[in-house]
Amino acid sequence: VIEIENVTKIYQMGETTVAALRGVSLQVEKGEMVSIMGPSGSGKSTLMNIIGCLDQPTEGVYRLDNVDVSKMNDDELADIRNKKIGFVFQSFNLLPRTAALAQVELPMIYAGAPDRRKRALDALQQVGLGDRVHHRPNELSGGQQQRVAIARALVNHPAIMLADEPTGNLDSVSGEDIMNIFKRLNREQGMTVILVTHDPDVAAHAARVIHVKDGKVTV
Amino acid sequence: VIEIENVTKIYQMGETTVAALRGVSLQVEKGEMVSIMGPSGSGKSTLMNIIGCLDQPTEGVYRLDNVDVSKMNDDELADIRNKKIGFVFQSFNLLPRTAALAQVELPMIYAGAPDRRKRALDALQQVGLGDRVHHRPNELSGGQQQRVAIARALVNHPAIMLADEPTGNLDSVSGEDIMNIFKRLNREQGMTVILVTHDPDVAAHAARVIHVKDGKVTV
Ligand SMILES: Nc1ncnc2c1ncn2[C@@H]1O[C@H](COP(=O)(O)OP(=O)(O)OP(=O)(O)O)[C@@H](O)[C@H]1O
Ligand SMILES: Nc1ncnc2c1ncn2[C@@H]1O[C@H](COP(=O)(O)OP(=O)(O)OP(=O)(O)O)[C@@H](O)[C@H]1O
Ligand SMILES: [Mg+2]
Ligand SMILES: [Mg+2]
């Protein structure tokens, strides 16, 4: 369902060039659960942003469900980002003045979904934040903010979950709970899952691990 | 050097009360290296903010080098935060539009230190960011931002290092490098180190581990 072909991402900074991705190719089948691991700065988040249709490659092709993403118009892209893909960002990207409940309801407003409040409460309950629904981000711990971001990514039942280091701020028990949610959705609903992680125990939950180093996929 | 006596921290949110710390006592000797571990939301960052003089307890006493912190005036507090304590925040707290080099020079400007540029370059080199010194935070990976925060905390040679999950966004090799920097400064310069971490491998570098659960220290 995800085909990345020889993708390159170059940042131009004045006279310097930073090559974040240098010819990456990978394929992920529908319903697969894969992990991406690699050193800090090796290109993992850059790759995730391209897969999530939040960024365009400098060269190469990205096909999502057999459609070349660079040929899509803005409406099609917005639709994909809102309904097809759930994204847990490495730095959470929560709205600073918005309570947890509203943060998780937001994707459903865009998708025009019914039962928003109930579904948002369910999602927050599932990630252990049932008693924190009215807290804003600065009234939440780091791991609680991370879990709001996870609940928000899950709430539209996306076909593809992209999670960039989703357990980095969590103790091992909370981390396990999150991984069990992802695995259950993968098993029961066929949700395709791509997880970036620095934790080998987390990576072990996936069927295979893709290693990234210096902007390249190493076998 | 650090004496926390029966400290409580209560947040009032309209009609609800959240007790983030519920009678915590602990002591850290000069030159010690200790870890703090505990579930997400258990009160670790709240405790660190009090130790770092960034927040006041609701009840209880905090003595730093035998002086009651609540009796200090603003100048004394500013001085402590700038020169005596280095703080690595869980969410980095970098200035969004400032390049890495300037971020690391900033504490030295406040401290009136000489050789700022050279020392900032050295610190960034030590954390593996010698080739990223002109990048702003949105041009850096998550782990690179974390390392800028670490370099910034070290650069004034503080007597006390408070690091709140300093390796959460780092692969194991980069994480080891950071731990080795902390251990070397602890050993060679007697820097007192308090590390919050979810990673038992990281906690193992410390002489002892303090466990926090539901706002209390458990033995
Ligand atoms: N300003 C606030 N108002 C209300 N509650 C708050 C506020 N700040 C923190 N809390 C609550 O206090 C508790 C402790 O938060 P703290 O950030 O210390 O946890 P933590 O142990 O650092 O967690 P993590 O491992 O997830 O970073 C949390 O349950 C949090 O929801
Ligand atoms: N806007 C930008 N301009 C210039 N360089 C950038 C930009 N964004 C990212 N980079 C560089 O691209 C490289 C890859 O970044 P990326 O965020 O993908 O790394 P990562 O593998 O996710 O790292 P981490 O594990 O630390 O999160 C890094 O070396 C980074 O400095
Ligand atoms: Mg990243
Ligand atoms: Mg915390």
Side-chain angles (χ1 to χ4, degrees), chain A residues 38-44 198, chain B residues 141-145 147 169-171 174:
Chain A
S40 171
S42 55
K44 308 177 296 296
H198 282 308
Chain B
S141 78
Q144 291 169 342
Q145 292 173 32
R147 285 182 274 158
N169 284 282
L170 299 178
D171 55 282
S174 313

Side-chain angles (χ1 to χ4, degrees), chain A residues 11 13 18-20 38-47 90 164-165 196 198, chain B residues 132 135 138-144 147 169-171:
Chain A
Y11 293 108
M13 297 177 69
V18 175
S40 171
S42 55
K44 308 177 296 296
S45 296
T46 305
L47 179 57
Q90 187 170 3
D164 197 346
E165 301 192 36
V196 170
H198 282 308
Chain B
R132 290 286 182 273
H135 287 232
N138 67 349
E139 298 166 333
L140 291 170
S141 78
Q144 291 169 342
R147 285 182 274 158
N169 284 282
L170 299 178
D171 55 282

Side-chain angles (χ1 to χ4, degrees), chain A:
Chain A
V1 67
I2 287 171
E3 290 174 86
I4 296 269
E5 243 171 71
N6 217 13
V7 146
T8 291
K9 181 70 189 181
I10 305 212
Y11 293 108
Q12 197 65 43
M13 297 177 69
E15 303 191 356
T16 343
T17 299
V18 175
L21 294 175
R22 307 188 288 139
V24 166
S25 299
L26 72 91
Q27 290 188 359
V28 180
E29 306 291 322
K30 201 169 168 55
E32 246 200 305
M33 185 158 164
V34 305
S35 295
I36 299 177
M37 294 189 83
S40 171
S42 55
K44 308 177 296 296
S45 296
T46 305
L47 179 57
M48 291 290 265
N49 287 339
I50 288 171
I51 296 174
C53 303
L54 299 165
D55 197 7
Q56 296 249 19
T58 313
E59 289 183 35
V61 184
Y62 169 32
R63 267 184 232 100
L64 177 61
D65 285 336
N66 287 320
V67 182
D68 183 339
V69 173
S70 63
K71 307 272 183 307
M72 292 181 184
N73 65 43
D74 284 351
D75 286 341
E76 291 172 301
L77 285 170
D79 216 55
I80 286 179
R81 284 183 215 124
N82 186 242
K83 296 190 193 145
K84 190 175 256 189
I85 296 178
F87 206 128
V88 184
F89 295 92
Q90 187 170 3
S91 54
F92 322 150
N93 292 8
L94 299 179
L95 300 174
R97 285 194 276 279
T98 305
L101 188 59
Q103 304 257 12
V104 177
E105 284 178 335
L106 208 59
M108 291 185 282
I109 293 175
Y110 289 138
D115 298 343
R116 289 196 299 268
R117 171 147 295 225
K118 175 174 186 323
R119 282 167 57 176
L121 285 171
D122 278 353
L124 285 166
Q125 202 96 33
Q126 273 195 45
V127 298
L129 294 178
D131 60 353
R132 289 286 182 273
V133 302
H134 298 301
H135 286 234
R136 293 185 300 269
N138 68 348
E139 296 165 334
L140 291 169
S141 78
Q144 291 169 343
Q145 292 174 35
Q146 189 158 38
R147 284 181 274 157
V148 174
I150 291 165
R152 181 182 62 179
L154 289 173
V155 85
N156 265 339
H157 305 302
I160 302 168
M161 168 62 60
L162 302 180
D164 197 346
E165 301 192 36
T167 61
N169 284 282
L170 300 177
D171 55 282
S172 47
V173 173
S174 314
E176 275 293 304
D177 293 344
I178 295 307
M179 290 312 296
N180 287 334
I181 293 173
F182 289 163
K183 290 203 300 197
R184 181 171 49 80
L185 292 169
N186 173 251
R187 225 175 33 234
E188 294 178 6
Q189 298 182 20
M191 185 173 79
T192 307
V193 180
I194 305 182
L195 280 173
V196 170
T197 183
H198 282 308
D199 187 338
D201 294 337
V202 169
H205 287 284
R208 63 177 164 121
V209 181
I210 295 165
H211 290 279
V212 177
K213 193 171 175 3
D214 281 335
K216 281 179 174 295
V217 169
T218 65
V219 183

Side-chain angles (χ1 to χ4, degrees), chain B residues 29-32 158-160 183-193:
Chain B
E29 306 290 323
K30 202 169 168 55
E32 245 200 308
I160 302 168
K183 291 202 301 194
R184 182 171 49 79
L185 293 170
N186 173 251
R187 222 175 34 232
E188 295 178 8
Q189 298 183 18
M191 184 172 80
T192 307
V193 180

Side-chain angles (χ1 to χ4, degrees), chain B residues 46-65:
Chain B
T46 305
L47 179 57
M48 291 289 265
N49 287 338
I50 289 172
I51 295 174
C53 302
L54 298 165
D55 196 9
Q56 296 250 19
T58 314
E59 289 184 36
V61 184
Y62 169 33
R63 267 184 231 98
L64 176 61
D65 286 335

